[in-house]
Amino acid sequence: MATSNTSKFVLKISILLIPYIMLSLILHDGGPGGGVGGGGYDLSGLVYGLLLFAVTIIWLIWMGISYAVSKTAAGKKLHLRLLIIGLIALIAAWFITPRMF
């Protein structure tokens, strides 16, 4: 049973980490290409920053629902751990996106 919880943990955390890391790297790419917006405005920081927040918040809602419907103590502990990691990721996203504003 512990292997099942470990694989669930790895799967669910990777669903957050893969887009989180990709969007963070896009936000910190200082290159001139890949801008979003027209007319000389670069909206890439805003667009990718909002997308980073949206992905994290949607993932947090999913983990909150999973915590609420979990029937076992091990399942609740797993989802509580994932919720805490998601909240840390949301706070970190605030510091990752300085170019957004």
Side-chain angles (χ1 to χ4, degrees):
M1 193 68 177
T3 307
S4 176
N5 273 346
T6 303
S7 62
K8 285 180 186 177
F9 179 82
V10 170
L11 176 67
K12 289 181 179 182
I13 199 74
S14 65
I15 291 173
L16 173 68
L17 286 181
I18 291 170
Y20 193 91
I21 290 170
M22 289 174 59
L23 289 169
S24 298
L25 289 174
I26 290 171
L27 280 168
H28 286 289
D29 178 34
V36 178
Y41 297 108
D42 183 17
L43 300 175
S44 61
L46 177 67
V47 171
Y48 294 124
L50 289 176
L51 191 58
L52 179 64
F53 278 109
V55 165
T56 308
I57 290 170
I58 289 169
W59 188 86
L60 275 169
I61 291 169
W62 176 37
M63 289 303 109
I65 292 170
S66 297
Y67 176 80
V69 300
S70 183
K71 292 179 173 58
T72 64
K76 286 203 178 278
K77 185 178 177 182
L78 171 76
H79 289 101
L80 181 62
R81 214 179 282 159
L82 288 167
L83 272 169
I84 291 169
I85 291 170
L87 287 173
I88 292 169
L90 187 64
I91 293 168
W94 178 259
F95 294 106
I96 288 173
T97 56
R99 287 184 28 209
M100 188 173 115
F101 299 109

